[in-house]
Short mmCIF file of all heavy atoms in Angstrom, two decimals:
data_model
loop_
_atom_site.label_atom_id
_atom_site.label_comp_id
_atom_site.label_asym_id
_atom_site.label_seq_id
_atom_site.Cartn_x
_atom_site.Cartn_y
_atom_site.Cartn_z
N SER L 1181 -0.12 -3.56 -9.47
CA SER L 1181 1.31 -3.43 -9.76
C SER L 1181 1.92 -4.81 -9.90
O SER L 1181 1.40 -5.78 -9.37
CB SER L 1181 2.00 -2.67 -8.63
OG SER L 1181 3.39 -2.70 -8.78
N THR L 1182 3.04 -4.89 -10.58
CA THR L 1182 3.77 -6.15 -10.65
C THR L 1182 4.82 -6.23 -9.55
O THR L 1182 5.44 -7.27 -9.36
CB THR L 1182 4.46 -6.29 -12.02
OG1 THR L 1182 5.34 -5.19 -12.22
CG2 THR L 1182 3.45 -6.36 -13.14
N ILE L 1183 5.03 -5.13 -8.81
CA ILE L 1183 6.05 -5.10 -7.77
C ILE L 1183 5.48 -5.43 -6.39
O ILE L 1183 6.16 -5.97 -5.54
CB ILE L 1183 6.74 -3.72 -7.75
CG1 ILE L 1183 7.54 -3.55 -9.03
CG2 ILE L 1183 7.64 -3.55 -6.53
CD1 ILE L 1183 8.23 -2.23 -9.16
N ASN L 1184 4.21 -5.09 -6.15
CA ASN L 1184 3.60 -5.36 -4.86
C ASN L 1184 2.17 -5.84 -5.03
O ASN L 1184 1.68 -5.94 -6.15
CB ASN L 1184 3.69 -4.11 -3.95
CG ASN L 1184 3.05 -2.90 -4.60
OD1 ASN L 1184 1.93 -2.96 -5.07
ND2 ASN L 1184 3.77 -1.79 -4.63
N THR L 1185 1.50 -6.13 -3.93
CA THR L 1185 0.16 -6.69 -3.99
C THR L 1185 -0.94 -5.66 -3.78
O THR L 1185 -2.11 -6.03 -3.63
CB THR L 1185 0.01 -7.81 -2.93
OG1 THR L 1185 0.21 -7.24 -1.63
CG2 THR L 1185 0.99 -8.93 -3.16
N HIS L 1205 4.49 6.06 2.82
CA HIS L 1205 5.26 6.34 1.61
C HIS L 1205 4.52 7.20 0.59
O HIS L 1205 4.90 7.23 -0.58
CB HIS L 1205 5.72 5.03 0.96
CG HIS L 1205 6.81 4.36 1.71
ND1 HIS L 1205 8.14 4.68 1.52
CD2 HIS L 1205 6.79 3.44 2.69
CE1 HIS L 1205 8.87 3.96 2.34
NE2 HIS L 1205 8.08 3.21 3.07
N VAL L 1207 1.78 6.95 -1.08
CA VAL L 1207 1.32 6.25 -2.27
C VAL L 1207 0.04 6.90 -2.81
O VAL L 1207 -0.16 6.98 -4.02
CB VAL L 1207 1.08 4.74 -1.96
CG1 VAL L 1207 0.38 4.04 -3.12
CG2 VAL L 1207 2.40 4.07 -1.64
N ARG L 1219 2.12 6.87 -6.39
CA ARG L 1219 3.42 6.20 -6.22
C ARG L 1219 3.18 4.71 -5.92
O ARG L 1219 3.59 4.20 -4.90
CB ARG L 1219 4.20 6.86 -5.09
CG ARG L 1219 4.50 8.33 -5.35
CD ARG L 1219 5.24 8.99 -4.22
NE ARG L 1219 6.54 8.36 -4.10
CZ ARG L 1219 7.23 8.31 -2.97
NH1 ARG L 1219 6.75 8.84 -1.87
NH2 ARG L 1219 8.40 7.73 -2.92
N HIS L 1220 2.53 4.04 -6.85
CA HIS L 1220 2.11 2.65 -6.64
C HIS L 1220 3.28 1.75 -6.24
O HIS L 1220 3.17 0.95 -5.32
CB HIS L 1220 1.46 2.11 -7.92
CG HIS L 1220 0.54 0.97 -7.68
ND1 HIS L 1220 0.96 -0.27 -7.26
CD2 HIS L 1220 -0.80 0.89 -7.78
CE1 HIS L 1220 -0.08 -1.07 -7.14
NE2 HIS L 1220 -1.17 -0.39 -7.45
N ASP L 1221 4.39 1.89 -6.91
CA ASP L 1221 5.54 1.02 -6.64
C ASP L 1221 6.27 1.35 -5.35
O ASP L 1221 7.18 0.63 -4.96
CB ASP L 1221 6.50 1.04 -7.83
CG ASP L 1221 5.90 0.39 -9.06
OD1 ASP L 1221 4.87 -0.33 -8.92
OD2 ASP L 1221 6.41 0.60 -10.16
N SER L 1222 5.87 2.42 -4.66
CA SER L 1222 6.48 2.76 -3.37
C SER L 1222 5.81 2.04 -2.21
O SER L 1222 6.28 2.11 -1.08
CB SER L 1222 6.40 4.27 -3.14
OG SER L 1222 7.19 4.95 -4.08
N CYS L 1223 4.72 1.35 -2.48
CA CYS L 1223 4.01 0.62 -1.42
C CYS L 1223 4.91 -0.46 -0.84
O CYS L 1223 5.50 -1.27 -1.56
CB CYS L 1223 2.75 -0.03 -1.99
SG CYS L 1223 1.89 -1.10 -0.82
N MET L 1224 5.03 -0.47 0.50
CA MET L 1224 5.86 -1.49 1.17
C MET L 1224 4.99 -2.57 1.80
O MET L 1224 5.47 -3.37 2.59
CB MET L 1224 6.76 -0.84 2.21
CG MET L 1224 6.04 -0.23 3.36
SD MET L 1224 7.26 0.43 4.53
CE MET L 1224 6.23 0.62 5.96
N GLU L 1225 3.71 -2.59 1.46
CA GLU L 1225 2.77 -3.63 1.88
C GLU L 1225 2.59 -3.72 3.40
O GLU L 1225 2.45 -4.81 3.94
CB GLU L 1225 3.17 -4.97 1.29
CG GLU L 1225 3.15 -4.97 -0.22
CD GLU L 1225 3.68 -6.24 -0.84
OE1 GLU L 1225 4.72 -6.76 -0.37
OE2 GLU L 1225 3.06 -6.71 -1.79
N VAL L 1244 3.87 -9.68 3.18
CA VAL L 1244 4.58 -10.41 2.13
C VAL L 1244 5.70 -9.59 1.51
O VAL L 1244 6.47 -10.09 0.72
CB VAL L 1244 3.63 -10.88 1.00
CG1 VAL L 1244 2.58 -11.80 1.55
CG2 VAL L 1244 2.99 -9.72 0.27
N GLY L 1245 5.80 -8.34 1.87
CA GLY L 1245 6.78 -7.47 1.23
C GLY L 1245 7.87 -6.97 2.13
O GLY L 1245 8.21 -7.59 3.14
N CYS L 1246 8.40 -5.82 1.78
CA CYS L 1246 9.55 -5.25 2.48
C CYS L 1246 9.26 -4.90 3.93
O CYS L 1246 10.12 -5.06 4.78
CB CYS L 1246 10.03 -4.01 1.74
SG CYS L 1246 10.88 -4.41 0.22
N ALA L 1247 8.07 -4.41 4.22
CA ALA L 1247 7.75 -4.04 5.60
C ALA L 1247 7.90 -5.25 6.51
O ALA L 1247 8.51 -5.18 7.57
CB ALA L 1247 6.33 -3.48 5.70
N SER L 1249 9.71 -7.89 5.96
CA SER L 1249 11.13 -8.26 6.00
C SER L 1249 11.92 -7.36 6.95
O SER L 1249 12.76 -7.83 7.70
CB SER L 1249 11.73 -8.19 4.60
OG SER L 1249 11.08 -9.09 3.74
N MET L 1250 11.63 -6.06 6.91
CA MET L 1250 12.32 -5.12 7.79
C MET L 1250 11.98 -5.37 9.26
O MET L 1250 12.86 -5.36 10.12
CB MET L 1250 11.99 -3.68 7.40
CG MET L 1250 12.62 -3.26 6.08
SD MET L 1250 12.39 -1.52 5.69
CE MET L 1250 10.68 -1.49 5.24
N VAL L 1261 18.64 -7.18 5.70
CA VAL L 1261 17.23 -7.40 5.42
C VAL L 1261 17.11 -8.18 4.12
O VAL L 1261 17.64 -7.79 3.10
CB VAL L 1261 16.48 -6.06 5.29
CG1 VAL L 1261 15.02 -6.29 4.91
CG2 VAL L 1261 16.57 -5.26 6.58
N GLU L 1262 16.44 -9.31 4.20
CA GLU L 1262 16.20 -10.11 3.00
C GLU L 1262 14.81 -9.78 2.49
O GLU L 1262 13.81 -10.13 3.09
CB GLU L 1262 16.31 -11.59 3.34
CG GLU L 1262 17.70 -11.99 3.79
CD GLU L 1262 17.78 -13.41 4.29
OE1 GLU L 1262 16.79 -14.15 4.17
OE2 GLU L 1262 18.83 -13.78 4.81
N CYS L 1263 14.76 -9.07 1.37
CA CYS L 1263 13.51 -8.57 0.83
C CYS L 1263 13.35 -9.03 -0.60
O CYS L 1263 14.30 -9.04 -1.37
CB CYS L 1263 13.50 -7.05 0.91
SG CYS L 1263 11.97 -6.33 0.37
N SER L 1264 12.14 -9.40 -0.95
CA SER L 1264 11.88 -9.88 -2.31
C SER L 1264 11.44 -8.79 -3.25
O SER L 1264 11.00 -9.06 -4.35
CB SER L 1264 10.83 -10.99 -2.27
OG SER L 1264 9.62 -10.47 -1.77
N CYS L 1265 11.52 -7.54 -2.85
CA CYS L 1265 11.10 -6.42 -3.72
C CYS L 1265 12.01 -6.31 -4.93
O CYS L 1265 13.18 -6.60 -4.85
CB CYS L 1265 11.13 -5.10 -2.96
SG CYS L 1265 9.80 -4.95 -1.79
N ARG L 1266 11.45 -5.85 -6.02
CA ARG L 1266 12.21 -5.66 -7.23
C ARG L 1266 12.27 -4.19 -7.61
O ARG L 1266 12.04 -3.81 -8.72
CB ARG L 1266 11.56 -6.45 -8.38
CG ARG L 1266 11.65 -7.91 -8.20
CD ARG L 1266 10.88 -8.61 -9.28
NE ARG L 1266 9.69 -9.20 -8.66
CZ ARG L 1266 8.48 -9.16 -9.17
NH1 ARG L 1266 8.25 -8.59 -10.31
NH2 ARG L 1266 7.48 -9.70 -8.54
N SER L 1267 12.55 -3.32 -6.66
CA SER L 1267 12.54 -1.88 -6.94
C SER L 1267 13.87 -1.32 -7.31
O SER L 1267 14.86 -1.85 -7.41
CB SER L 1267 12.01 -1.09 -5.76
OG SER L 1267 12.67 -1.43 -4.58
#
Side-chain angles (χ1 to χ4, degrees):
S1181 172
T1182 58
I1183 293 178
N1184 56 50
T1185 62
H1205 287 274
V1207 171
R1219 299 179 64 207
H1220 203 292
D1221 292 344
S1222 294
C1223 174
M1224 65 178 197
E1225 299 174 316
V1244 299
C1246 287
S1249 299
M1250 289 186 286
V1261 176
E1262 296 173 7
C1263 183
S1264 62
C1265 286
R1266 293 175 250 136
S1267 51

